[in-house]
Amino acid sequence: MAAEVLHWRASRSELGGGARGDGTEAVVVLGYRNRGGRANRVNRWRVRAGIRSFDPAARERLLVLCGGSVGGSVPEAELMAAYARELGYVGLITRERASRTTWENVENAMVLIEGAATIKIVSNSLHAAKARGYLRQLRPDLASRLARADDYRFGEQWWLKPAAVIIDLRHSWRTRRRARP
């Protein structure tokens, strides 16, 4: 239950003040290490969460899929794009194929989402919050347009949430340890 609470809180953190501009909505889906030639279970869930995150009232929709060839020979962005099309998604898809880390996902996606009035970042809640924090560091102007994605639902991915908490805590501990003088 503690993992569920932490994910719920993370899904509501690092958000911006609201949309502005022409009504274009960009949903950025962060990839997860993929070894095969088909999107893995985590990436398939992230694509579904990304698609369901779109606001039906958005004037224009852009699905930004992030991930290079981290675990295999095909970029995660390509595998996720193929899966989105399998699901019947017919909207605009942009692929960011070079990134190997969350920081690079955000850094490389910034130019792709500059024109969006609303920006949503999709992953597990803790990972998405970290990415939103990175965007805030890199481009506060874009971070001000961040809105909550539909990547948190109570009880969904119950098997992954405790592991994600442990991974996030380990990463935070390592980062603080490296930052010490």
Short mmCIF file of all heavy atoms in Angstrom, two decimals, residues 40-88:
data_model
loop_
_atom_site.label_atom_id
_atom_site.label_comp_id
_atom_site.label_asym_id
_atom_site.label_seq_id
_atom_site.Cartn_x
_atom_site.Cartn_y
_atom_site.Cartn_z
N ASN A 40 8.16 -4.45 -25.39
CA ASN A 40 7.99 -5.31 -24.23
C ASN A 40 6.75 -4.91 -23.41
O ASN A 40 6.07 -3.93 -23.74
CB ASN A 40 9.26 -5.32 -23.36
CG ASN A 40 9.61 -3.96 -22.78
OD1 ASN A 40 8.75 -3.14 -22.48
ND2 ASN A 40 10.90 -3.70 -22.62
N ARG A 41 6.47 -5.66 -22.38
CA ARG A 41 5.26 -5.45 -21.56
C ARG A 41 5.18 -4.04 -20.99
O ARG A 41 4.12 -3.41 -21.01
CB ARG A 41 5.26 -6.49 -20.43
CG ARG A 41 4.06 -6.48 -19.56
CD ARG A 41 4.15 -7.59 -18.53
NE ARG A 41 2.95 -7.63 -17.72
CZ ARG A 41 2.77 -8.48 -16.74
NH1 ARG A 41 3.70 -9.37 -16.46
NH2 ARG A 41 1.67 -8.45 -16.04
N VAL A 42 6.30 -3.54 -20.48
CA VAL A 42 6.31 -2.20 -19.88
C VAL A 42 6.07 -1.14 -20.95
O VAL A 42 5.26 -0.23 -20.77
CB VAL A 42 7.63 -1.94 -19.12
CG1 VAL A 42 7.72 -0.50 -18.64
CG2 VAL A 42 7.78 -2.90 -17.95
N ASN A 43 6.76 -1.25 -22.08
CA ASN A 43 6.57 -0.26 -23.15
C ASN A 43 5.16 -0.31 -23.73
O ASN A 43 4.60 0.72 -24.08
CB ASN A 43 7.62 -0.44 -24.24
CG ASN A 43 8.96 0.11 -23.84
OD1 ASN A 43 9.06 1.02 -23.03
ND2 ASN A 43 10.02 -0.44 -24.40
N ARG A 44 4.57 -1.51 -23.83
CA ARG A 44 3.19 -1.59 -24.33
C ARG A 44 2.25 -0.88 -23.37
O ARG A 44 1.36 -0.13 -23.79
CB ARG A 44 2.78 -3.06 -24.53
CG ARG A 44 3.47 -3.71 -25.70
CD ARG A 44 2.87 -5.06 -26.09
NE ARG A 44 2.66 -5.98 -25.00
CZ ARG A 44 3.53 -6.89 -24.58
NH1 ARG A 44 4.71 -7.00 -25.16
NH2 ARG A 44 3.22 -7.70 -23.59
N TRP A 45 2.43 -1.09 -22.06
CA TRP A 45 1.57 -0.41 -21.08
C TRP A 45 1.76 1.11 -21.18
O TRP A 45 0.78 1.87 -21.15
CB TRP A 45 1.88 -0.88 -19.66
CG TRP A 45 1.07 -0.11 -18.68
CD1 TRP A 45 -0.21 -0.37 -18.29
CD2 TRP A 45 1.46 1.09 -18.00
NE1 TRP A 45 -0.64 0.61 -17.41
CE2 TRP A 45 0.37 1.51 -17.22
CE3 TRP A 45 2.62 1.85 -17.97
CZ2 TRP A 45 0.41 2.64 -16.43
CZ3 TRP A 45 2.67 2.98 -17.19
CH2 TRP A 45 1.57 3.36 -16.43
N ARG A 46 3.01 1.56 -21.33
CA ARG A 46 3.26 3.00 -21.41
C ARG A 46 2.60 3.62 -22.64
O ARG A 46 2.07 4.72 -22.57
CB ARG A 46 4.76 3.28 -21.40
CG ARG A 46 5.40 3.03 -20.04
CD ARG A 46 6.87 3.31 -20.03
NE ARG A 46 7.46 3.01 -18.73
CZ ARG A 46 8.73 3.22 -18.41
NH1 ARG A 46 9.56 3.73 -19.32
NH2 ARG A 46 9.17 2.90 -17.23
N VAL A 47 2.62 2.91 -23.76
CA VAL A 47 1.96 3.42 -24.97
C VAL A 47 0.46 3.52 -24.73
O VAL A 47 -0.17 4.53 -25.08
CB VAL A 47 2.29 2.54 -26.20
CG1 VAL A 47 1.39 2.89 -27.38
CG2 VAL A 47 3.76 2.68 -26.57
N ARG A 48 -0.14 2.49 -24.14
CA ARG A 48 -1.58 2.54 -23.86
C ARG A 48 -1.91 3.70 -22.91
O ARG A 48 -2.88 4.43 -23.12
CB ARG A 48 -2.07 1.21 -23.26
CG ARG A 48 -2.07 0.07 -24.25
CD ARG A 48 -2.79 -1.17 -23.72
NE ARG A 48 -2.32 -1.64 -22.44
CZ ARG A 48 -1.30 -2.50 -22.26
NH1 ARG A 48 -0.65 -2.98 -23.30
NH2 ARG A 48 -0.96 -2.88 -21.04
N ALA A 49 -1.07 3.89 -21.88
CA ALA A 49 -1.29 5.00 -20.95
C ALA A 49 -1.12 6.34 -21.65
O ALA A 49 -1.84 7.30 -21.36
CB ALA A 49 -0.33 4.89 -19.76
N GLY A 50 -0.18 6.41 -22.58
CA GLY A 50 0.02 7.65 -23.34
C GLY A 50 -1.19 7.99 -24.18
O GLY A 50 -1.67 9.13 -24.18
N ILE A 51 -1.71 7.02 -24.88
CA ILE A 51 -2.86 7.26 -25.74
C ILE A 51 -4.09 7.65 -24.92
O ILE A 51 -4.81 8.57 -25.29
CB ILE A 51 -3.13 6.02 -26.63
CG1 ILE A 51 -1.99 5.87 -27.64
CG2 ILE A 51 -4.48 6.13 -27.33
CD1 ILE A 51 -2.00 4.55 -28.40
N ARG A 52 -4.30 6.99 -23.79
CA ARG A 52 -5.46 7.34 -22.97
C ARG A 52 -5.29 8.68 -22.25
O ARG A 52 -6.25 9.22 -21.70
CB ARG A 52 -5.78 6.22 -21.98
CG ARG A 52 -4.83 6.13 -20.81
CD ARG A 52 -5.16 4.98 -19.90
NE ARG A 52 -4.32 4.96 -18.73
CZ ARG A 52 -3.96 3.87 -18.08
NH1 ARG A 52 -4.39 2.69 -18.49
NH2 ARG A 52 -3.19 3.96 -17.01
N SER A 53 -4.08 9.22 -22.25
CA SER A 53 -3.82 10.51 -21.59
C SER A 53 -4.26 11.71 -22.40
O SER A 53 -4.36 12.81 -21.87
CB SER A 53 -2.32 10.64 -21.27
OG SER A 53 -1.93 9.71 -20.30
N PHE A 54 -4.52 11.52 -23.69
CA PHE A 54 -4.94 12.65 -24.52
C PHE A 54 -6.30 13.18 -24.07
O PHE A 54 -7.21 12.42 -23.77
CB PHE A 54 -5.04 12.25 -26.00
CG PHE A 54 -3.72 12.20 -26.69
CD1 PHE A 54 -3.21 11.00 -27.15
CD2 PHE A 54 -2.98 13.36 -26.88
CE1 PHE A 54 -1.99 10.94 -27.79
CE2 PHE A 54 -1.75 13.31 -27.52
CZ PHE A 54 -1.26 12.10 -27.98
N ASP A 55 -6.40 14.49 -24.04
CA ASP A 55 -7.66 15.16 -23.76
C ASP A 55 -8.49 15.13 -25.04
O ASP A 55 -8.03 15.59 -26.09
CB ASP A 55 -7.38 16.61 -23.35
CG ASP A 55 -8.61 17.40 -23.00
OD1 ASP A 55 -9.73 16.96 -23.33
OD2 ASP A 55 -8.45 18.47 -22.40
N PRO A 56 -9.71 14.61 -24.97
CA PRO A 56 -10.55 14.57 -26.18
C PRO A 56 -10.81 15.95 -26.78
O PRO A 56 -11.10 16.06 -27.97
CB PRO A 56 -11.85 13.94 -25.70
CG PRO A 56 -11.58 13.36 -24.37
CD PRO A 56 -10.36 14.02 -23.82
N ALA A 57 -10.68 17.00 -25.97
CA ALA A 57 -10.95 18.35 -26.46
C ALA A 57 -9.73 19.01 -27.10
O ALA A 57 -9.82 20.12 -27.61
CB ALA A 57 -11.44 19.22 -25.30
N ALA A 58 -8.58 18.34 -27.07
CA ALA A 58 -7.37 18.93 -27.65
C ALA A 58 -7.57 19.16 -29.15
O ALA A 58 -8.09 18.30 -29.85
CB ALA A 58 -6.18 18.02 -27.41
N ARG A 59 -7.15 20.31 -29.60
CA ARG A 59 -7.30 20.65 -31.02
C ARG A 59 -6.41 19.76 -31.88
O ARG A 59 -6.80 19.33 -32.95
CB ARG A 59 -6.95 22.12 -31.23
CG ARG A 59 -7.22 22.60 -32.66
CD ARG A 59 -6.88 24.05 -32.87
NE ARG A 59 -5.47 24.34 -32.74
CZ ARG A 59 -4.56 24.09 -33.68
NH1 ARG A 59 -4.91 23.52 -34.79
NH2 ARG A 59 -3.30 24.40 -33.49
N GLU A 60 -5.21 19.52 -31.40
CA GLU A 60 -4.24 18.71 -32.14
C GLU A 60 -3.50 17.84 -31.14
O GLU A 60 -3.21 18.28 -30.02
CB GLU A 60 -3.26 19.64 -32.86
CG GLU A 60 -2.54 19.03 -34.01
CD GLU A 60 -1.72 20.06 -34.76
OE1 GLU A 60 -2.29 21.11 -35.14
OE2 GLU A 60 -0.52 19.83 -34.94
N ARG A 61 -3.18 16.61 -31.55
CA ARG A 61 -2.50 15.66 -30.66
C ARG A 61 -1.18 15.22 -31.26
O ARG A 61 -1.11 14.92 -32.45
CB ARG A 61 -3.36 14.41 -30.45
CG ARG A 61 -4.68 14.71 -29.81
CD ARG A 61 -5.52 13.46 -29.79
NE ARG A 61 -6.80 13.74 -29.16
CZ ARG A 61 -7.71 12.83 -28.96
NH1 ARG A 61 -7.51 11.58 -29.32
NH2 ARG A 61 -8.84 13.16 -28.37
N LEU A 62 -0.15 15.17 -30.41
CA LEU A 62 1.16 14.71 -30.83
C LEU A 62 1.65 13.68 -29.82
O LEU A 62 1.79 13.99 -28.64
CB LEU A 62 2.15 15.88 -30.90
CG LEU A 62 3.61 15.53 -31.13
CD1 LEU A 62 3.79 14.84 -32.49
CD2 LEU A 62 4.48 16.77 -31.03
N LEU A 63 1.91 12.47 -30.28
CA LEU A 63 2.46 11.41 -29.45
C LEU A 63 3.96 11.37 -29.69
O LEU A 63 4.41 11.11 -30.82
CB LEU A 63 1.81 10.06 -29.80
CG LEU A 63 2.18 8.86 -28.94
CD1 LEU A 63 1.75 9.07 -27.49
CD2 LEU A 63 1.52 7.60 -29.50
N VAL A 64 4.75 11.67 -28.67
CA VAL A 64 6.20 11.70 -28.77
C VAL A 64 6.74 10.47 -28.05
O VAL A 64 6.56 10.33 -26.84
CB VAL A 64 6.79 12.98 -28.14
CG1 VAL A 64 8.32 12.98 -28.24
CG2 VAL A 64 6.21 14.22 -28.80
N LEU A 65 7.36 9.58 -28.79
CA LEU A 65 7.87 8.32 -28.24
C LEU A 65 9.38 8.42 -28.14
O LEU A 65 10.06 8.71 -29.12
CB LEU A 65 7.45 7.16 -29.13
CG LEU A 65 5.93 7.06 -29.33
CD1 LEU A 65 5.59 6.03 -30.39
CD2 LEU A 65 5.24 6.76 -28.02
N CYS A 66 9.91 8.18 -26.94
CA CYS A 66 11.33 8.39 -26.66
C CYS A 66 12.03 7.09 -26.34
O CYS A 66 11.54 6.28 -25.56
CB CYS A 66 11.50 9.33 -25.47
SG CYS A 66 10.89 10.98 -25.74
N GLY A 67 13.21 6.93 -26.92
CA GLY A 67 14.05 5.80 -26.56
C GLY A 67 14.89 5.33 -27.72
O GLY A 67 14.39 5.08 -28.81
N GLY A 68 16.17 5.22 -27.45
CA GLY A 68 17.11 4.71 -28.44
C GLY A 68 17.24 3.20 -28.32
O GLY A 68 16.42 2.51 -27.73
N SER A 69 18.31 2.68 -28.90
CA SER A 69 18.59 1.25 -28.89
C SER A 69 19.37 0.91 -27.63
O SER A 69 20.58 0.68 -27.67
CB SER A 69 19.41 0.87 -30.14
OG SER A 69 18.75 1.27 -31.30
N VAL A 70 18.70 0.89 -26.51
CA VAL A 70 19.36 0.69 -25.22
C VAL A 70 19.58 -0.80 -24.95
O VAL A 70 20.68 -1.22 -24.61
CB VAL A 70 18.56 1.34 -24.07
CG1 VAL A 70 19.21 1.07 -22.73
CG2 VAL A 70 18.41 2.83 -24.31
N GLY A 71 18.55 -1.61 -25.11
CA GLY A 71 18.66 -3.03 -24.79
C GLY A 71 18.73 -3.94 -26.00
O GLY A 71 18.97 -5.13 -25.88
N GLY A 72 18.50 -3.38 -27.17
CA GLY A 72 18.49 -4.19 -28.39
C GLY A 72 18.94 -3.35 -29.57
O GLY A 72 19.42 -2.23 -29.41
N SER A 73 18.74 -3.88 -30.78
CA SER A 73 19.22 -3.19 -31.97
C SER A 73 18.21 -2.19 -32.54
O SER A 73 18.58 -1.33 -33.33
CB SER A 73 19.58 -4.22 -33.05
OG SER A 73 18.45 -4.99 -33.38
N VAL A 74 16.95 -2.28 -32.14
CA VAL A 74 15.91 -1.38 -32.66
C VAL A 74 15.58 -0.34 -31.59
O VAL A 74 15.36 -0.69 -30.43
CB VAL A 74 14.63 -2.17 -33.04
CG1 VAL A 74 13.56 -1.24 -33.58
CG2 VAL A 74 14.95 -3.27 -34.03
N PRO A 75 15.54 0.94 -31.95
CA PRO A 75 15.20 1.97 -30.96
C PRO A 75 13.82 1.70 -30.32
O PRO A 75 12.87 1.30 -31.01
CB PRO A 75 15.18 3.26 -31.78
CG PRO A 75 16.05 2.99 -32.95
CD PRO A 75 15.84 1.53 -33.26
N GLU A 76 13.75 1.91 -29.03
CA GLU A 76 12.49 1.72 -28.30
C GLU A 76 11.38 2.56 -28.91
O GLU A 76 10.23 2.13 -28.97
CB GLU A 76 12.68 2.10 -26.83
CG GLU A 76 13.64 1.20 -26.10
CD GLU A 76 14.24 1.81 -24.85
OE1 GLU A 76 13.82 2.91 -24.44
OE2 GLU A 76 15.13 1.17 -24.27
N ALA A 77 11.71 3.76 -29.38
CA ALA A 77 10.71 4.64 -29.98
C ALA A 77 10.05 3.97 -31.18
O ALA A 77 8.83 4.10 -31.38
CB ALA A 77 11.35 5.96 -30.40
N GLU A 78 10.82 3.25 -31.98
CA GLU A 78 10.27 2.55 -33.15
C GLU A 78 9.34 1.42 -32.74
O GLU A 78 8.28 1.22 -33.33
CB GLU A 78 11.40 2.00 -34.04
CG GLU A 78 12.21 3.06 -34.74
CD GLU A 78 11.41 3.89 -35.72
OE1 GLU A 78 10.35 3.45 -36.22
OE2 GLU A 78 11.84 5.02 -36.01
N LEU A 79 9.76 0.65 -31.73
CA LEU A 79 8.94 -0.46 -31.26
C LEU A 79 7.62 0.04 -30.68
O LEU A 79 6.56 -0.54 -30.94
CB LEU A 79 9.71 -1.27 -30.21
CG LEU A 79 11.02 -1.91 -30.70
CD1 LEU A 79 11.78 -2.53 -29.53
CD2 LEU A 79 10.75 -2.93 -31.79
N MET A 80 7.69 1.15 -29.94
CA MET A 80 6.47 1.71 -29.35
C MET A 80 5.57 2.30 -30.43
O MET A 80 4.34 2.18 -30.35
CB MET A 80 6.81 2.75 -28.29
CG MET A 80 7.45 2.15 -27.05
SD MET A 80 7.64 3.30 -25.67
CE MET A 80 8.76 4.51 -26.34
N ALA A 81 6.15 2.89 -31.47
CA ALA A 81 5.34 3.45 -32.56
C ALA A 81 4.59 2.33 -33.28
O ALA A 81 3.41 2.48 -33.61
CB ALA A 81 6.23 4.21 -33.54
N ALA A 82 5.27 1.23 -33.53
CA ALA A 82 4.61 0.09 -34.19
C ALA A 82 3.47 -0.42 -33.32
O ALA A 82 2.38 -0.73 -33.84
CB ALA A 82 5.63 -1.02 -34.45
N TYR A 83 3.67 -0.47 -32.02
CA TYR A 83 2.60 -0.93 -31.13
C TYR A 83 1.43 0.05 -31.11
O TYR A 83 0.27 -0.37 -31.13
CB TYR A 83 3.14 -1.16 -29.71
CG TYR A 83 2.09 -1.68 -28.78
CD1 TYR A 83 1.54 -2.95 -28.96
CD2 TYR A 83 1.61 -0.91 -27.72
CE1 TYR A 83 0.55 -3.44 -28.13
CE2 TYR A 83 0.63 -1.38 -26.88
CZ TYR A 83 0.10 -2.65 -27.08
OH TYR A 83 -0.88 -3.11 -26.25
N ALA A 84 1.72 1.35 -31.10
CA ALA A 84 0.64 2.34 -31.13
C ALA A 84 -0.21 2.17 -32.38
O ALA A 84 -1.45 2.25 -32.32
CB ALA A 84 1.22 3.76 -31.07
N ARG A 85 0.41 1.91 -33.50
CA ARG A 85 -0.32 1.68 -34.75
C ARG A 85 -1.13 0.38 -34.68
O ARG A 85 -2.25 0.32 -35.18
CB ARG A 85 0.62 1.67 -35.96
CG ARG A 85 1.30 3.00 -36.22
CD ARG A 85 0.31 4.12 -36.52
NE ARG A 85 1.02 5.33 -36.92
CZ ARG A 85 0.56 6.54 -36.72
NH1 ARG A 85 -0.61 6.74 -36.15
NH2 ARG A 85 1.25 7.59 -37.11
N GLU A 86 -0.56 -0.67 -34.04
CA GLU A 86 -1.29 -1.93 -33.83
C GLU A 86 -2.58 -1.68 -33.06
O GLU A 86 -3.60 -2.32 -33.31
CB GLU A 86 -0.46 -2.93 -33.03
CG GLU A 86 0.55 -3.72 -33.79
CD GLU A 86 1.31 -4.65 -32.87
OE1 GLU A 86 0.69 -5.28 -31.97
OE2 GLU A 86 2.54 -4.74 -33.02
N LEU A 87 -2.51 -0.76 -32.11
CA LEU A 87 -3.68 -0.42 -31.29
C LEU A 87 -4.71 0.38 -32.07
O LEU A 87 -5.82 0.59 -31.59
CB LEU A 87 -3.26 0.37 -30.05
CG LEU A 87 -2.44 -0.37 -29.01
CD1 LEU A 87 -2.00 0.58 -27.91
CD2 LEU A 87 -3.23 -1.54 -28.42
N GLY A 88 -4.33 0.87 -33.23
CA GLY A 88 -5.25 1.66 -34.03
C GLY A 88 -5.08 3.16 -33.88
O GLY A 88 -5.88 3.94 -34.40
#
